[in-house]
Amino acid sequence: FTGSNLLGVGAGVSPESFSEVDETKLLPSVSFIYEFDERVSIRVAYSQTTARPSFREIAPFFSYNADTNTTEVGNFGQLVATTTGFPYFENPGLQTSDVENVDFRVDYVNEDEMLGLSLFYKEVKDPIEQIELGLGDGIFSWENNENPGQIIGLELEARKNLGFIHESFANFTTGGNFTLLESWVKRAPR
């Protein structure tokens, strides 16, 4: 079931009410790097970025997940009851979330390997979050939260050239990344 028949007469949704993201933003950033020597450096950075709604978060659709027995409702907007008993959705649209980022990173690099350790903090204005619509158990959609969200984390990155195994592997490198993060946001009243 795609929900396409909900776009007909009486559904309260018209193609003109679908969400659209059309904006231009100035997103400044600045970073400072100090090299102790040719192998070790530290970096401090500040940037402003944006988190745009994904297509799944703004598309008008219904999706049922049999594994979790939940239904996701795409962005038809605010649920409005009618005198006929058939609910419809007004579509105010999701907005992009503005993000402020602060990063601190230490790198060790040589010709065969790289090891990096990063600490980061992000504050997200108007974060997009999944909400239960209150239409019954397990029916979800998305909205912007009026409260800012915070993310703090630690990232470890490593790369190693495989030439130490055999010279035929000298053009190959393997790498990995591990991120540990904590995030929190105060839920908006509904």
Side-chain angles (χ1 to χ4, degrees):
F1 175 68
T2 65
S4 59
N5 60 333
L6 294 177
L7 303 180
V9 175
V13 179
S14 67
E16 293 80 24
S17 68
F18 293 167
S19 292
E20 180 178 319
V21 177
D22 182 15
E23 62 187 358
T24 302
K25 290 190 174 201
L26 178 64
L27 300 171
S29 68
V30 62
S31 64
F32 300 97
I33 301 172
Y34 179 77
E35 295 179 344
F36 287 98
D37 58 35
E38 59 190 34
R39 294 183 180 199
V40 180
S41 64
I42 61 170
R43 180 180 349 178
V44 178
Y46 169 83
S47 63
Q48 292 179 356
T49 58
T50 189
R52 298 189 187 280
S54 71
F55 288 121
R56 184 167 185 81
E57 293 165 341
I58 61 174
F61 74 94
F62 283 93
S63 174
Y64 176 73
N65 184 330
D67 293 332
T68 61
N69 194 30
T70 59
T71 302
E72 288 182 348
V73 179
N75 190 20
F76 288 102
Q78 180 67 41
L79 178 67
V80 177
T82 65
T83 56
T84 63
F86 183 79
Y88 69 93
F89 294 84
E90 292 177 346
N91 189 351
L94 288 174
Q95 302 301 310
T96 60
S97 301
D98 294 324
V99 184
E100 291 194 55
N101 309 280
V102 178
D103 300 276
F104 174 79
R105 183 174 174 97
V106 177
D107 283 324
Y108 169 81
V109 180
N110 69 26
E111 60 277 353
D112 292 328
E113 58 196 5
M114 187 281 295
L115 184 62
L117 175 67
S118 300
L119 300 172
F120 59 87
Y121 172 79
K122 300 174 184 294
E123 182 164 303
V124 184
K125 181 182 173 196
D126 299 321
I128 298 168
E129 60 184 28
Q130 192 174 49
I131 56 152
E132 189 162 8
L133 289 178
L135 302 174
D137 291 336
I139 300 177
F140 296 90
S141 190
W142 294 268
E143 73 178 6
N144 289 98
N145 186 337
E146 63 191 35
N147 300 308
Q150 289 86 32
I151 304 167
I152 190 167
L154 171 86
E155 179 181 36
L156 179 63
E157 180 182 2
R159 286 194 309 256
K160 176 76 174 157
N161 182 281
L162 299 179
F164 71 95
I165 297 173
H166 187 271
E167 63 185 39
S168 61
F169 292 105
N171 291 328
F172 294 93
T173 301
T174 187
N177 177 298
F178 172 78
T179 302
L180 180 64
L181 60 88
E182 177 85 19
S183 63
W184 60 95
V185 65
K186 182 180 177 184
R187 297 293 271 190
R190 292 196 45 81

